[in-house]
Amino acid sequence: MLFFEDLGKKEYEETWKYQKKLFDEIIQKKVNNISSQKAGYFLFVEHPHVYTIGKNGKRDKHLLVSSDFLEKIDATCYQTDRGGDITYHGPGQLIGYPILNMDYFFTDIHKYLRLLEEVIIHFLWKNYGIKGERKKGKTGVWFHNHVKNGKSRKICAIGIRMSRWVTMHGFALNVNTDLRYFDYIIPCGIYDQEVTSLKKELKKNDISFQEVKLMVKKSFQEIFDVEFIPMSKKLDQ
């Protein structure tokens, strides 16, 4: 069973604590050899303006503005326990947080990252006929066609934490995101890239966020071969 919950719009710190609670719950049952039918959880959320920095991130080098400026643009910043460098989350961006017990899937972190990428690649191609691609040596999903000035365009960032084969954190897909907020950082610490959104690539005024959620859910189910159960039906097992 994989429980699904759409958290709607929620502050980053509150969501991080909630993720950690679910993450720790799975780990404790594993440590205590308590059997469970749960494969884990999958959360959707949309955050207010926030910058998050992974364990390998360099705030002094990759965050380009001061704390005072962050306050002016109504943004916060957190050092987190995920992998990767700095990224931005905000309105119009779909965040997916899979909190999975990988014993129910496979115990291979690189395969897991590639499948998270595949979820987004599958979603883009199946629903919009646009080709998302990987970038050698990097994690995430890009567009490489019609590259300007040698810069590929990143549409989805991925950063995870994994301990005892339990995952947390996940992916950030730019749908109707205000891309100006990426101007204040070196996204993921990569200098030779641009950031894009589904709205920008499709040249539309707005993309239905609810429709994107449904389509990404379907792609996740297909790529990971799982069925979702609403969190309202969660069993204590």
Side-chain angles (χ1 to χ4, degrees):
M1 293 184 291
L2 192 62
F3 292 101
F4 173 79
E5 186 173 10
D6 187 341
L7 300 176
K9 296 181 179 180
K10 193 174 286 289
E11 292 284 346
Y12 182 81
E13 186 174 20
E14 184 181 356
T15 309
W16 187 10
K17 290 178 180 178
Y18 183 51
Q19 275 196 85
K20 189 69 165 53
K21 176 184 175 183
L22 299 176
F23 176 82
D24 288 343
E25 171 194 296
I26 295 174
I27 286 181
Q28 283 304 307
K29 288 191 175 182
K30 292 183 73 171
V31 168
N32 295 319
N33 293 314
I34 298 173
S35 63
S36 173
Q37 298 179 25
K38 292 191 280 224
Y41 305 90
F42 185 65
L43 310 176
F44 272 163
V45 69
E46 188 180 5
H47 292 310
H49 302 296
V50 60
Y51 295 99
T52 65
I53 305 172
K55 291 183 292 185
N56 302 321
K58 299 175 181 178
R59 177 170 179 152
D60 58 335
K61 292 181 67 175
H62 297 156
L63 178 64
L64 306 178
V65 295
S66 67
S67 296
D68 287 343
F69 187 81
L70 289 180
E71 188 173 344
K72 288 181 181 179
I73 62 173
D74 198 28
T76 53
C77 184
Y78 290 93
Q79 190 85 36
T80 76
D81 56 355
R82 63 166 173 78
D85 207 293
I86 190 169
T87 195
Y88 161 76
H89 302 313
Q93 183 187 70
L94 178 61
I95 309 292
Y97 290 137
I99 305 160
L100 308 180
N101 182 347
M102 295 306 292
D103 291 342
Y104 286 85
F105 298 94
F106 47 82
T107 50
D108 183 329
I109 190 170
H110 297 290
K111 181 178 178 180
Y112 176 62
L113 288 169
R114 301 295 78 79
L115 284 192
L116 286 182
E117 293 166 343
E118 191 62 31
V119 168
I120 304 304
I121 291 169
H122 178 274
F123 154 76
L124 291 169
W125 181 255
K126 183 174 182 179
N127 299 288
Y128 298 101
I130 52 180
K131 188 178 181 182
E133 299 179 81
R134 296 178 176 87
K135 189 170 186 176
K136 187 175 181 180
K138 306 295 181 183
T139 299
V141 178
W142 281 262
F143 295 119
H144 299 312
N145 56 318
H146 307 298
V147 172
K148 298 178 181 179
N149 303 319
K151 294 183 179 180
S152 50
R153 308 184 305 285
K154 191 172 189 179
I155 193 167
C156 182
I158 295 173
I160 68 164
R161 177 187 176 191
M162 187 178 288
S163 177
R164 294 181 181 268
W165 297 113
V166 179
T167 72
M168 64 180 289
H169 300 291
F171 63 81
L173 174 66
N174 295 324
V175 183
N176 299 311
T177 316
D178 185 346
L179 299 176
R180 292 175 298 178
Y181 277 80
F182 286 99
D183 294 341
Y184 307 129
I185 62 173
I186 304 298
C188 304
I190 304 172
Y191 289 86
D192 61 340
Q193 72 167 13
E194 295 179 353
V195 179
T196 191
S197 66
L198 196 57
K199 174 181 176 178
K200 183 176 180 179
E201 293 296 320
L202 295 177
K203 297 179 172 61
K204 292 188 176 182
N205 291 329
D206 207 13
I207 306 294
S208 171
F209 207 65
Q210 290 304 315
E211 286 184 6
V212 168
K213 285 180 178 181
L214 291 174
M215 293 186 289
V216 172
K217 275 180 68 178
K218 289 179 181 178
S219 289
F220 190 94
Q221 287 176 294
E222 185 167 336
I223 298 304
F224 279 85
D225 191 24
V226 293
E227 292 294 331
F228 289 131
I229 299 171
M231 187 68 97
S232 59
K233 297 183 180 180
K234 181 177 181 294
L235 303 176
D236 186 19
Q237 57 181 358

